[in-house]
Amino acid sequence: MNTLSPPDEVRGMTVFKIDKFTKPVTVPVIVINKNYVESANKVLKNYIIKLNNFKSIRSGSNDSECVFYLDPAKFSSCEDLNLSFVSAENLKYVQIEVGYNNWNHDEILKAVLPEKSMLSSYSAIGSIIHVNLKPELLDYKDIIGRVLNDKLKGCKIKENKCLFDLDFSEVYWNPRLCTEHERILQKLKSGDVLYDVFAGIGPFSVPAAKLGCIVIANDLNPNSCKWLEINKTKNRIKDELLTIINKDGSKFIQEDLRAHYILWSKKITSENNVHVTMNLPAIAVDFVKYFNNLFEWEEISDHSLPILHVYTFVKTDKSYEEGLKSIIEEYFSNIKNDDIQEIIRVRNVAPNKEMVRITFQMKKDILCKSEKLKIVEE
């Protein structure tokens, strides 16, 4: 075991005692003339002690000396250093004291928790650290909380060059979706239109508006709308770029999205695209049906038809392929294979369950009542 690691005695600790982490360690020290510091550092940087809050290179007992504190696990003899100005005369051993403040949270928890039950992950959300604990780690919850609180300082939510505020007790935020948010933003450009059906606090809407997109953002939770408004202001988003609506997703699609798209479909050029994000994977697929026959044929233009990004959960108890096929057959039967642009496996959320994004191009014969029906009615 590395002598600079936390002491063995802390293994299994359930009541935090900071003094139990303190231990004395004897380490090698190289004392050299300051004239050789630059040359020595090129070699000794691979041997020096690397601990938090520990200064490995210090001034000596007089102004002409510099002292390098070395890791005993890496250093064996002066001969290995191959430095002409360093010999056994420059080497001595001193005792130092290391403790809780010298290790990061990962090193501390690995030393304390049972070896077969390590903490797999955590989420830093603003000033809150969110941890899902396995049953066997519940006895260590106070230790885990104390260590993470001590070691993770200044947590802020910053994503895709935007800052976000929220109250975690009121709204949802998953920092593990940052990469997926970025994937969607890479598909957008200034002048595009984004309808965000389940906007939350704005991980799609705010950076899209900052990019120059026209964004209509909706969420059923009034608290999400409250924090979305705060984040709109925080990131200096203009009103004409981001409109916030508080409705059920079906009503938003049938009323606000419909009305706005009828106006904008006549203005949008072929250079700009219309995107719809539906990130509520538990139920989003149930809302795709509200796009069927949403418009009269003549109400919208033939170009820049909406591209839908729909998130869902795929059950993989048999196989991913079978689970995905089941979702597509049930909810996307009227979408042609050629119109599906992308299927992304976003992340594994549980055993036999994956979060997936299905991106497809909507066609006018699905969005609109058919021309034949229109002619008959006339």
Side-chain angles (χ1 to χ4, degrees), residues 62-331:
N62 59 64
D63 293 339
S64 64
E65 292 180 343
C66 187
V67 181
F68 288 77
Y69 287 74
L70 308 184
D71 188 331
K74 299 176 181 178
F75 174 82
S76 57
S77 71
C78 292
E79 294 178 0
D80 296 336
L81 301 178
N82 197 26
L83 291 171
S84 60
F85 49 84
V86 173
S87 66
E89 295 180 356
N90 301 95
L91 173 66
K92 63 179 181 178
Y93 286 85
V94 300
Q95 189 177 86
I96 62 172
E97 189 176 84
V98 294
Y100 181 73
N101 292 329
N102 297 124
W103 298 293
N104 61 35
H105 71 280
D106 191 50
E107 292 168 316
I108 292 286
L109 292 177
K110 281 183 178 179
V112 172
L113 301 180
E115 294 184 49
K116 295 182 179 180
S117 301
M118 288 299 163
L119 185 68
S120 57
S121 63
Y122 65 89
S123 298
I125 307 172
S127 59
I128 295 173
I129 302 164
H130 180 211
V131 184
N132 290 326
L133 293 180
K134 299 175 182 178
E136 59 267 29
L137 289 180
L138 291 178
D139 289 341
Y140 301 91
K141 62 181 181 181
D142 293 335
I143 291 286
I144 292 170
R146 168 67 184 265
V147 172
L148 293 180
N149 183 62
D150 287 346
K151 300 295 182 177
L152 300 176
K153 300 295 185 182
C155 295
K156 292 182 179 180
I157 296 177
K158 185 173 184 179
E159 187 177 285
N160 295 308
K161 299 180 181 180
C162 296
L163 290 170
F164 293 91
D165 285 346
L166 74 152
D167 183 336
F168 194 50
S169 67
E170 296 181 344
V171 295
Y172 175 79
W173 177 275
N174 190 339
R176 296 176 187 172
L177 296 179
C178 176
T179 300
E180 177 57 23
H181 296 153
E182 188 174 359
R183 287 193 193 107
I184 295 299
L185 290 171
Q186 288 174 349
K187 300 177 185 294
L188 306 177
K189 60 183 180 298
S190 181
D192 285 356
V193 173
L194 172 66
Y195 299 108
D196 197 353
V197 183
F198 310 108
I201 68 166
F204 288 126
S205 297
V206 171
K210 198 168 186 177
L211 189 65
C213 297
I214 305 298
V215 181
I216 313 297
N218 174 74
D219 204 279
L220 180 60
N221 182 355
N223 287 321
S224 292
C225 295
K226 178 186 74 174
W227 288 103
L228 179 52
E229 187 68 49
I230 291 170
N231 292 322
K232 173 184 175 180
T233 303
K234 189 178 188 72
N235 290 278
R236 299 179 181 178
I237 305 296
K238 296 179 180 178
D239 287 340
E240 57 264 33
L241 291 178
L242 177 54
T243 301
I244 300 170
I245 295 170
N246 175 211
K247 285 185 180 180
D248 176 80
S250 62
K251 295 295 184 183
F252 170 73
I253 293 169
Q254 294 171 315
E255 297 172 357
D256 304 274
L257 185 154
R258 181 181 185 278
H260 186 270
Y261 183 66
I262 288 172
L263 291 173
W264 277 89
S265 67
K266 309 294 183 179
K267 302 177 183 179
I268 297 173
T269 68
S270 57
E271 296 179 356
N272 292 113
N273 294 315
V274 176
H275 294 265
V276 181
T277 48
M278 302 174 70
N279 185 15
L280 191 61
I283 59 172
V285 287
D286 291 320
F287 289 76
V288 175
K289 63 189 177 189
Y290 295 108
F291 286 90
N292 296 340
N293 299 325
L294 184 60
F295 306 98
E296 297 292 342
W297 193 273
E298 69 277 3
E299 285 182 322
I300 62 174
S301 62
D302 294 332
H303 65 266
S304 296
L305 295 172
I307 300 169
L308 269 62
H309 309 279
V310 183
Y311 294 84
T312 186
F313 291 131
V314 171
K315 294 180 180 179
T316 59
D317 47 337
K318 294 182 179 179
S319 72
Y320 166 76
E321 290 73 17
E322 289 187 36
L324 180 63
K325 181 181 178 182
S326 177
I327 289 288
I328 290 176
E329 288 177 348
E330 183 174 358
Y331 296 99

